[in-house]
Amino acid sequence: MNTDQLILNAKVYNSYYKRFETANVAVKEGRFLYVGPLGAETFVAAEIIDAKGQYLVPGLIDIHLHIESTMITPETFSYGILQHGVTTIVPEPHEMANVFGVEGVHEMIRASRDCQVDMFYAIPSSVPATPLETTGGSIEISDIDELMETQRMICLGEVMNFVDVIRDPGGKSNRILQHVRSRYPGLVIEGHTPKLLDLDLHQLIYAGIDSDHTHQSIEGLTARIAAGMFIEIQEKSMTPEVVDYLIGHPVSEHFCFVTDDVMTDSLVQTGHLDHLVRKAIAMGMTPEDAVYAATFTPARRMKLDDRGVVAPNKTADYLLLSDLDSFAIEAVYKRGLQVYDRKQPQSQVVREPQFPAHFYKSVQLEPLAEVDFSVPSELPDGSYGARVMMVNNVSTFTEEKHVEARVKDGLLQWQETGCGLIATFERYGKNGNRAYGLIGGDTIKRGAVATTYSHDNHNLLVVGHNAADMVLAANTVIAEQGGFCVVCDGEVLALLALPVGGILTEAPLVETAELVLALRTAMESLGYNHYNPIMSISTHSLPVSPALKITDHGLIDVGAGKVVPLLFPLGKA
């Protein structure tokens, strides 16, 4: 029997029994033909690979991520994750959609069409995430219909405004959910349900949202699984107690691993989905169960029944591992063709420009001055209570704290509070909105950071401790048409230019990783204490992530879903 490829002497992972079996594998026309004891005496193969006892597992599948989180293009992203065994992903381009609307989605898909990794896209459902922010674009029901008709969309991306779903039956989120459930009844609907329990949680599930990828606790995890939710475990949820629960309870069909947001330096230095598999094994999960959660269950969740398994008629995406416990990847194959060899890695070929010309001109802001970091107040001179966004070093969630602050001559004397200043400026040229707040906790203690990479509206966000540094950081980002800049004492310590929509670079993977590492190091040198300072500061403007955030509309009480004042009468918050 003629085949394209024959792999001999491999320890093949059987997903249906969650075990490894010594076998030979035949591949024909990009699909597995045979897995079993028969070998060269039966098959005539164009290519024969002697696995020499290496482990053969399905290509890894990541069903919840945002390419824009790496701040690189789909092509560069594909090049990077193939080296880590990821062969299929379901990206949701809601960052680019917030900048350019449905055009941003189309252009991200177009930019990924020649990628070796299979990319099945999620339709951004929450653009903007809430009505409490200004974005460059939006996704409406008509855009969803257009995307379903013209593109390869596999699910409705995370429905983020849980407050809207619960409290506003006629709101945009519920209109989208009702439309999708009636017109596309088989479409998977992804969720974003941080900390919700009991009736609130069940209302979201009743509305059709049956997955969650946010930070999990044991209480939340058990409540979600008991109510029929599928759980997508990202690294920040891999606490000892959560992993022990996943190991000790029969829930393997109800969860998978996902990455959500991975910084470029972490991608190069640590890995991608393979890192989570490796970490799960190190924390006590069997390799068989860890592989299952990165291949079989994510494929089933997204109805990708042609992959995630080494079995006849399944897509021949697979990895060869020299060691199972350390998940040491020697080679990666896509549809039976080798796309990565650890011993002979390929260099990246970079194309630019990859996007339309106007994608490089999205920051419509004039240079700022020190007066722009004076906080005006209409309140009479005197002392007031002030809300402070407190950064937490183990989460992107923040907390609200109150301090005493003084107003003098129509200005908040924020420098006297011991807190930093956080400010955001609408950058699309729509309304000129700006808002101010106080910030403390595990953030920078001096200098300034400015960025247009601020979830999900991607307006200009600036955090700092003196106006001069904040001006330099902000104007450097504006001049670059977007990016990330760290400043201290009048000196630029780190700069990452992001000229594509203010959120992406077309620089090569390794070069970008070095710049991101320098950015992280500079933020830490200013006192930022967080496992991921870049993602932490970027989510200060995400009004669906608890508890106190900021947009160009003002400070947002996320739980209440409303704008709250920075200042209030003492003792009357």
Side-chain angles (χ1 to χ4, degrees):
M1 182 178 292
N2 291 323
T3 62
D4 298 322
Q5 187 182 65
L6 182 63
I7 307 110
L8 302 173
N9 307 313
K11 296 173 183 173
V12 181
Y13 181 69
N14 186 299
S15 304
Y16 304 113
Y17 281 101
K18 291 190 198 174
R19 69 189 183 202
F20 285 89
E21 303 167 340
T22 299
N24 302 321
V25 179
V27 175
K28 186 174 183 178
E29 297 176 347
R31 291 175 292 155
F32 295 114
L33 170 66
Y34 173 80
V35 182
L38 301 179
E41 74 285 354
T42 302
F43 300 101
V44 177
E47 178 187 22
I48 297 178
I49 299 170
D50 186 353
K52 298 179 180 178
Q54 293 185 116
Y55 298 88
L56 191 155
V57 302
L60 306 184
I61 300 173
D62 193 341
I63 62 170
H64 183 90
L65 60 81
H66 310 283
I67 294 173
E68 302 99 314
S69 295
T70 60
M71 299 180 279
I72 53 180
T73 64
E75 195 173 74
T76 302
F77 189 71
S78 172
Y79 166 81
I81 63 175
L82 271 177
Q83 301 173 45
H84 297 285
V86 182
T87 56
T88 299
I89 62 174
V90 182
E92 183 191 340
H94 70 214
E95 314 301 350
M96 195 63 81
N98 272 278
V99 181
F100 291 112
V102 72
E103 182 189 16
V105 179
H106 284 301
E107 289 300 327
M108 286 293 286
I109 294 173
R110 187 188 62 80
S112 67
R113 282 192 177 140
D114 295 327
C115 294
Q116 291 179 304
V117 171
D118 285 337
M119 300 187 185
F120 299 91
Y121 275 81
I123 299 174
S125 67
S126 304
V127 179
T130 73
L132 305 175
E133 57 196 313
T134 302
T135 59
S138 65
I139 297 293
E140 307 299 330
I141 288 175
S142 59
D143 299 319
I144 292 173
D145 289 338
E146 179 198 337
L147 289 167
M148 287 296 293
E149 291 169 4
T150 61
Q151 302 288 0
R152 186 170 63 170
M153 315 308 295
I154 198 171
C155 69
L156 185 69
E158 56 179 304
V159 180
M160 302 183 72
N161 195 344
F162 53 88
V163 174
D164 191 36
V165 175
I166 294 169
R167 300 184 183 179
D168 188 359
K172 181 179 177 180
S173 296
N174 279 309
R175 293 198 308 273
I176 287 175
L177 284 166
Q178 290 160 10
H179 179 78
V180 167
R181 294 182 73 182
S182 62
R183 185 159 181 177
Y184 313 106
L187 194 67
V188 174
I189 298 175
E190 291 287 271
H192 174 106
T193 63
K195 296 189 175 182
L196 296 185
L197 294 168
D198 200 43
L199 180 58
D200 287 345
L201 177 65
H202 288 209
Q203 282 181 273
L204 261 74
I205 299 172
Y206 182 80
I209 301 167
D210 61 351
S211 78
D212 182 35
H213 69 278
T214 60
H215 198 164
Q216 299 296 327
S217 65
I218 295 298
E219 181 185 26
L221 181 70
T222 55
R224 281 155 176 70
I225 293 177
M229 262 193 167
F230 186 81
I231 309 301
E232 296 162 4
I233 299 288
Q234 54 176 298
E235 185 173 11
K236 65 185 178 183
S237 290
M238 294 180 70
T239 59
E241 57 270 19
V242 167
V243 174
D244 286 347
Y245 184 91
L246 298 175
I247 293 171
H249 294 79
V251 295
S252 62
E253 303 303 318
H254 306 294
F255 81 93
C256 72
F257 294 126
V258 299
T259 58
D260 197 11
D261 304 299
V262 174
M263 296 293 101
T264 318
D265 58 335
S266 296
L267 173 59
V268 170
Q269 295 177 353
T270 307
H272 196 257
L273 197 60
D274 61 321
H275 169 61
L276 272 65
V277 172
R278 205 172 289 118
K279 184 170 183 174
I281 295 170
M283 295 179 74
M285 188 175 290
T286 67
E288 291 81 358
D289 283 341
V291 170
Y292 194 78
T295 56
F296 190 85
T297 51
R300 298 295 84 78
R301 166 66 185 169
M302 287 296 161
K303 303 180 181 179
L304 294 169
D305 296 328
D306 66 332
R307 63 196 65 211
V309 180
V310 181
N313 199 35
K314 305 299 183 183
T315 301
D317 296 348
Y318 66 92
L319 322 178
L320 289 177
L321 311 175
S322 56
D323 183 76
L324 188 57
D325 288 338
S326 63
F327 209 74
I329 300 171
E330 296 299 318
V332 179
Y333 290 80
K334 195 83 184 69
R335 291 183 175 84
L337 299 176
Q338 188 179 76
V339 292
Y340 171 72
D341 182 347
R342 184 185 65 80
K343 297 174 182 173
Q344 297 178 322
Q346 296 179 342
S347 59
Q348 183 187 356
V349 177
V350 179
R351 296 183 301 108
E352 56 177 302
Q354 297 178 39
F355 292 86
H358 65 281
F359 274 49
Y360 303 87
K361 300 176 181 179
S362 66
V363 179
Q364 304 298 316
L365 267 177
E366 294 297 321
L368 301 177
E370 289 193 21
V371 68
D372 294 303
F373 296 97
S374 297
V375 182
S377 174
E378 297 179 354
L379 295 172
D381 286 2
S383 295
Y384 297 88
R387 289 180 169 85
V388 183
M389 182 190 302
M390 298 298 292
V391 179
N392 186 332
N393 66 0
V394 296
S395 175
T396 53
F397 296 164
T398 61
E399 298 174 355
E400 179 177 324
K401 177 185 173 182
H402 299 158
V403 298
E404 186 172 329
R406 189 166 65 95
V407 172
K408 180 182 178 183
D409 298 330
L411 295 175
L412 172 66
Q413 306 300 300
W414 64 266
Q415 298 92 337
E416 298 177 359
T417 65
C419 301
L421 179 69
I422 182 167
T424 185
F425 301 84
E426 184 272 318
R427 59 102 158 177
Y428 300 103
K430 290 188 172 184
N431 53 38
N433 282 355
R434 57 181 61 186
Y436 302 94
L438 299 179
I439 191 166
D442 297 315
T443 186
I444 59 171
K445 304 298 186 289
R446 59 189 181 279
V449 181
T451 185
T452 50
Y453 177 79
S454 55
H455 296 303
D456 278 342
N457 49 70
H458 300 295
N459 287 310
L460 177 65
L461 183 75
V462 189
V463 173
H465 285 267
N466 69 83
D469 282 350
M470 296 176 83
V471 168
L472 177 57
N475 287 343
T476 302
V477 169
I478 292 170
E480 294 290 345
Q481 273 296 304
F484 235 118
C485 183
V486 181
V487 169
C488 190
D489 297 330
E491 178 185 357
V492 174
L493 303 183
L495 171 64
L496 172 63
L498 300 172
V500 183
I503 58 175
L504 297 184
T505 175
E506 291 175 318
L509 177 66
V510 173
E511 177 184 325
T512 303
E514 292 171 351
L515 291 171
V516 170
L517 178 59
L519 187 66
R520 184 195 299 264
T521 302
M523 292 174 69
E524 291 171 346
S525 75
L526 299 185
Y528 215 118
N529 174 28
H530 198 277
Y531 69 91
N532 189 342
I534 296 172
M535 185 54 58
S536 171
I537 199 168
S538 298
T539 54
H540 290 352
S541 56
L542 183 59
V544 293
S545 175
L548 184 68
K549 296 298 170 75
I550 189 170
T551 75
D552 63 302
H553 287 213
L555 288 174
I556 309 298
D557 181 329
V558 175
K562 66 179 183 180
V563 176
V564 292
L566 169 58
L567 300 177
F568 53 87
L570 285 170
K572 296 183 179 180

